């Protein structure tokens, strides 16, 4: 932990951290010009307009947004206010404010890393607006009003004051989550499931507890943290609006994980360091991994819910489950907290599943960031197969780990499978392609007793940190493909995802698949990108020595790569796909592509024409 820790009696004019808005005044736009609510595909309502109809259609069932909303909840007999996140939350990893060479670039140079971090960006990099390298005054509370800008409450991206809609997700300025009250009203009516329940196997169990909303950043900073309580509110509101909760699923009674259970994944020092945050107003493990007085409880609740869901699924009391939890966990390693993560929920769930009788556990991590903590915990364990699909870009994308050659150690060699994308903008086609040729063949050969998905939705379209292009349909298809791996025994655990519309619509589609609905299929092109083919081929060339079942896939993908190369060669003009399509007109100027086409290609064409004309004239002469 860093030394930036405040005791509870040093409040600096703030409350104790129970309210995630109490330390801040409302934005001046919160109550001005509130548009009326509109129906979004019959699933959720929002306040304000959203001009991108395609984005709305592909993210239907997303969070309900309104410009003024607050909830209340009772914790230990004390009634407190849980208002929408505004300025006290802040942001991590690599940002997507400036696009260069089709990759997400941080605004400023990376700050010096703390001892517990691996190389990669931090929140300061994402939202620093100063041009001078070492000037971080804009990050200080005293400079929070230095620039006229507002932060989108849907995706946390900063916008200049003149814009009425977010330039990243097109959300209306001042929008906030609504609809959570409808979910909360159903909590008292929900049926609870436990190992003592006399019912036969039920369909889908959901894990949630309102106390996890109390985990928020207390220190005043100029920009909202992307890992904020509204993430859970948005998903909960979407599930309620879709009619999924509580009529189609049951709840798991929440409980805090015990220290003895945590010791199977973490060191005693790590567990104690998280527990000590109960006595602090706020504290930081890394520059972007915060804690307040409620964070230790939230982290133990998240881990306890995941452990119990895994046990219930293995024992047959539930067919599958969805853990709607925070803080996330897959970056938390054996002895360190980082990347917004305190305890490793997926690792704790896997170990609980083994205690319940599972001999082999498959963890599929589709969060856009590599789950370095999960890989570390099971690096030498051949009873847990860890497969991760993530942006890597030769280690330049947070957290820098997860290269294809990281395959595990000792007995665990071959049981870490990393599929590292070489760029941003990766979408459904590449993910499905990787599933078909790498994930599913290995999973079928491994034959797990339970499959756990570290379901980060930050590879979703519109996410400010992931900058990729996976749609809710893509997530539903991947979920459906994994249901066959362990006879339907599937546990989905929420990890990252910082666009409220994207995570709520994607999570809703995933839960629908858990409930037995068919996945969504798009009728468009299904070919993977050239970069996707190259990444999968690299993984197959390494992993086939551990998994001979991949040899046919390697031959097939190699043949596909050659045909794609031949196609581009025959066309004579190899074109790199831009994420999300050809891109707007201004994108061509930004990449100098239009300038190249106009000046260079035009000059070459004129030269060729002149040469042909001269040759024709020469041949015509006697």
């Amino acid at each position: 932990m860093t030394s930036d820790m405040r005791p509870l009696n040093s409040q600096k004019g703030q409350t104790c951290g129970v309210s995630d808005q109490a330390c801040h005044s409302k934005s001046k736009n919160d109550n001005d010009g509130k548009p009326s609510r509109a129906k979004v595909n019959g699933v959720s309502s929002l306040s304000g307009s959203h001009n991108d109809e395609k984005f709305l259609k592909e993210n239907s069932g997303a969070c309900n947004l309104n410009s003024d909303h607050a909830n209340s909840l009772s914790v230990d007999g004390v009634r407190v206010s849980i208002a929408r996140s505004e300025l006290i939350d802040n942001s991590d990893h690599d940002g997507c404010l400036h696009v260069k060479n089709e990759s997400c670039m941080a605004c400023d140079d990376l700050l010096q890393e703390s001892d517990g971090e691996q190389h990669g960006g931090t929140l300061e990099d994402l939202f620093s607006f100063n041009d001078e390298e070492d000037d971080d005054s804009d990050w200080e509370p005293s400079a929070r009003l230095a620039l006229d800008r507002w932060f989108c409450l849907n995706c946390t991206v900063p916008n200049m004051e003149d814009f009425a809609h977010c330039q990243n997700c097109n959300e209306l300025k001042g929008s906030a989550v609504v609809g959570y009250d409808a979910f909360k009203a159903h909590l008292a009516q929900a049926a609870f499931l436990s190992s003592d329940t006399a019912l036969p196997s039920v369909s889908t169990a959901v894990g949630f507890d309102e106390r996890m909303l109390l985990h928020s950043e207390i220190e005043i900073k100029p920009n909202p943290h992307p890992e904020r309580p509204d993430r859970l509110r948005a998903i909960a509101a979407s599930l309620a609006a879709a009619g999924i909760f509580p009529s189609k699923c049951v709840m798991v009674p929440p409980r805090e994980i015990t220290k003895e259970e945590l010791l199977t994944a973490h060191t005693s020092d790590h567990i104690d360091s998280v527990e000590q945050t109960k006595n602090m107003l706020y504290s930081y493990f890394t520059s972007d991994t915060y804690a307040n007085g409620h964070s230790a409880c939230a982290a133990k609740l998240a881990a306890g819910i995941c452990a119990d869901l895994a046990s219930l699924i293995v024992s047959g009391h539930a067919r599958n489950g969805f853990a709607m939890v925070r803080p996330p966990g897959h970056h938390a390693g054996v002895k360190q907290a980082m990347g917004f993560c305190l305890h490793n929920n997926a690792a704790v769930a896997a170990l609980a599943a083994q205690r319940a009788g599972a001999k082999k556990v498959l963890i599929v991590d589709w969060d856009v960031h590599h789950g370095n903590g999960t890989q570390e915990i099971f690096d030498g364990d051949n009873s847990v197969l860890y497969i991760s699909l993530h942006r890597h870009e030769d280690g330049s994308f947070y957290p820098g780990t997860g290269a294809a050659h990281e395959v595990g150690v000792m007995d665990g060699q071959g049981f870490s499978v990393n599929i590292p994308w070489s760029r941003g903008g990766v979408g459904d086609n590449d993910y499905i392609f990787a599933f078909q040729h790498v994930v599913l063949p290995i999973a079928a050969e491994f034959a797990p007793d339970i499959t756990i998905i570290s379901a980060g939705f930050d590879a979703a379209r519109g996410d400010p940190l992931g900058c990729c292009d996976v749609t809710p349909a893509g997530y539903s298809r991947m979920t459906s493909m994994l249901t066959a791996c362990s006879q339907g025994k599937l546990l989905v655990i929420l990890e990252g995802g910082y666009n409220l519309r994207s995570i709520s619509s994607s999570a809703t589609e995933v839960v629908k698949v858990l409930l037995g609905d068919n996945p969504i299929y798009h009728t468009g092109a299904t070919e993977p990108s050239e970069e996707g083919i190259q990444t999968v081929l690299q993984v197959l060339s390494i992993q086939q020595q551990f998994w001979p079942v991949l040899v046919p896939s390697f031959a097939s993908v190699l043949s596909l790569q050659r045909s794609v190369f031949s196609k581009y060669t025959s066309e004579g003009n190899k074109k790199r796909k831009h994420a999300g399509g050809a891109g707007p007109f201004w994108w061509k100027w930004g990449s100098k592509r239009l300038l190249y086409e106009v000046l260079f290609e035009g000059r070459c064409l004129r030269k060729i024409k002149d040469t042909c004309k001269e040759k024709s004239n020469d041949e015509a002469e006697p």
Side-chain angles (χ1 to χ4, degrees), residues 255-263 275 296-297 299-308 343 348-349 352 355:
R255 72 171 179 91
E256 296 183 18
I257 198 80
T258 66
K259 183 174 182 178
E260 289 70 26
E261 291 172 286
L262 286 175
L263 283 171
E275 195 68 16
C297 175
K300 288 189 292 185
L301 283 168
I305 287 170
C306 293
D308 287 351
H343 296 318
V348 169
R355 290 193 298 273

Side-chain angles (χ1 to χ4, degrees), residues 432-443:
I432 299 302
F433 182 74
F435 262 62
Q436 292 170 336
H437 291 88
V438 180
V439 179
L440 296 184
I442 294 178

Side-chain angles (χ1 to χ4, degrees), residues 60-73:
S60 61
C63 62
N64 305 327
L65 297 177
N66 195 299
S67 61
D68 189 14
H69 179 68
N71 305 305
S72 62
L73 93 99

Side-chain angles (χ1 to χ4, degrees), residues 436-438 441 536-537 540 548-559:
Q436 292 170 336
H437 291 88
V438 180
V536 169
L537 189 63
L540 290 171
V549 70
L550 297 178
V551 173
S553 292
F554 178 76
S556 175
V557 175
L558 183 60
S559 176

